[in-house]
Amino acid sequence: MAIMGDYHSWAVAFGVLGNIISVLVYLAPVPTFYRIYRKKSTESFQSLPYQVALFSSMLWLYYALIKEGAFLLITINSSGCIVETIYISMYIAYAPKNSWMSAMKLFVAMNVGLFSLILILTHFLVKSSIRIQVLGWICVAISVSVFAAPLNIVARVIRTRSVEFMPFNLSFFLSLSAIMWFAYGLFIKDICVALPNVLGFILGMLQMLLYAIYRNAEKVIEEKKLPEQMKTIVALSTLGAFEVYPVALDTNTKSTKEDKKENEQTGEPDKTDHRSLEDSGELHSDECPV
């Protein structure tokens, strides 16, 4: 009995810490949406990360509601549903027509259609004795599948030798969150909660290792020109917490270096400084990259 009491105490402790850290991660996009509110435009930001975050939180909330003794899962995923709904509402309010239509279609298809389908199938077609297990493994599959975005960022860091796309603080807190929820799942003996966070911890440690390796490394300029002036960098956790970082992409860097090289070969004066002065006069103070 004493051992069971200790297990319960540890589960509560790690669950509370997991709630606190995950709430901080949920609130990380606040500067992004303040930017959207201030500019009254979503710019090149996308709604996909927040839609997937809401979908994941809804699934985990459904799982926690039918599982006994999962109050701390209910609290964090209820918070996630509220916060992500606010984010999506703000996105839809300030999105241009094309982005608005895409966001609404995605919301209806995933957060209404797909979630309703999962709810109906697991409630009416799956026996009550195995319903929790089936829903738990669906949640695991969704959590594991969303690791594709951070892996893209890891590949970009290695390719460019630059960590500007991978903030250390976010990687640290996501790793910390994964540890808390893994321990919580371990102490309540729920493999569906513990398993995805093993991958989350490994990915977080990999990100911090890459940060230590490349934080002072010389950047490699990519030759591929990207059409957008602003790219969104996504980082996420296994329980649905996401962050999107706006990163300004300097698409003129390569052309500037090529112009300088050509001017040196032809003996012509360098026009780069003159061009940059002209460009600077066209910039508005609100258009500085964040």
Side-chain angles (χ1 to χ4, degrees), residues 150-164:
L151 289 176
N152 288 337
I153 304 306
V154 168
R156 185 176 182 86
V157 169
I158 296 174
R159 187 169 64 250
T160 62
R161 299 174 63 86
S162 172
V163 295
E164 63 179 329

Side-chain angles (χ1 to χ4, degrees), residues 247-284:
V247 179
L249 299 177
D250 188 2
T251 56
N252 295 324
T253 303
K254 184 189 171 196
S255 59
T256 300
K257 290 189 174 182
E258 289 177 350
D259 291 344
K260 286 185 177 181
K261 184 176 180 182
E262 183 179 351
N263 291 335
E264 290 176 358
Q265 292 176 350
T266 58
E268 296 179 0
D270 188 3
K271 300 179 181 179
T272 303
D273 295 336
H274 178 65
R275 188 188 302 116
S276 62
L277 288 173
E278 291 179 349
D279 292 342
S280 63
E282 298 174 359
L283 288 176
H284 191 277

Side-chain angles (χ1 to χ4, degrees), residues 109-129:
M110 181 167 60
N111 293 301
V112 177
L114 183 56
F115 178 77
S116 298
L117 180 63
I118 293 173
L119 190 150
I120 292 171
L121 291 178
T122 54
H123 187 76
F124 292 105
L125 299 183
V126 178
K127 295 180 180 180
S128 58
S129 59

Side-chain angles (χ1 to χ4, degrees), residues 44-250:
S44 62
F45 295 108
Q46 298 179 355
S47 68
L48 178 62
Y50 311 103
Q51 304 255 23
V52 175
L54 178 60
F55 179 65
S56 179
S57 295
M58 291 166 63
L59 276 180
W60 280 109
L61 180 59
Y62 176 39
Y63 173 79
L65 287 172
I66 65 174
K67 179 182 173 64
E68 295 181 1
F71 176 75
L72 292 173
L73 281 179
I74 294 175
T75 56
I76 186 56
N77 287 290
S78 298
S79 302
C81 288
I82 294 171
V83 172
E84 299 301 335
T85 300
I86 294 173
Y87 291 157
I88 294 171
S89 299
M90 287 188 64
Y91 183 92
I92 292 174
Y94 294 113
K97 186 176 180 180
N98 291 338
S99 299
W100 184 88
M101 288 295 296
S102 299
M104 288 301 298
K105 288 179 181 178
L106 182 61
F107 180 82
V108 172
M110 181 167 60
N111 293 301
V112 177
L114 183 56
F115 178 77
S116 298
L117 180 63
I118 293 173
L119 190 150
I120 292 171
L121 291 178
T122 54
H123 187 76
F124 292 105
L125 299 183
V126 178
K127 295 180 180 180
S128 58
S129 59
I130 60 171
R131 185 176 298 143
I132 295 177
Q133 289 85 348
V134 171
L135 184 59
W137 285 108
I138 292 175
C139 292
V140 170
I142 296 297
S143 297
V144 171
S145 65
V146 298
F147 281 112
L151 289 176
N152 288 337
I153 304 306
V154 168
R156 185 176 182 86
V157 169
I158 296 174
R159 187 169 64 250
T160 62
R161 299 174 63 86
S162 172
V163 295
E164 63 179 329
F165 303 102
M166 191 177 65
F168 177 83
N169 290 341
L170 188 62
S171 299
F172 174 75
F173 280 108
L174 288 174
S175 300
L176 204 57
S177 176
I179 293 172
M180 298 304 149
W181 288 114
F182 169 76
Y184 175 78
L186 197 65
F187 282 115
I188 66 171
K189 299 180 181 179
D190 190 335
I191 190 173
C192 294
V193 175
L195 184 60
N197 289 287
V198 175
L199 297 178
F201 174 73
I202 294 173
L203 181 61
M205 293 301 295
L206 176 61
Q207 290 177 339
M208 288 191 287
L209 177 62
L210 290 175
Y211 187 92
I213 295 174
Y214 292 115
R215 65 190 181 96
N216 293 322
E218 183 179 352
K219 297 179 183 179
V220 175
I221 300 174
E222 293 185 286
E223 295 186 359
K224 181 180 178 181
K225 292 185 179 180
L226 298 179
E228 297 181 350
Q229 296 298 316
M230 192 72 66
K231 185 175 181 65
T232 53
I233 304 304
V234 186
L236 47 140
S237 73
T238 55
L239 287 178
F242 287 71
E243 163 61 319
V244 179
Y245 279 84
V247 179
L249 299 177
D250 188 2

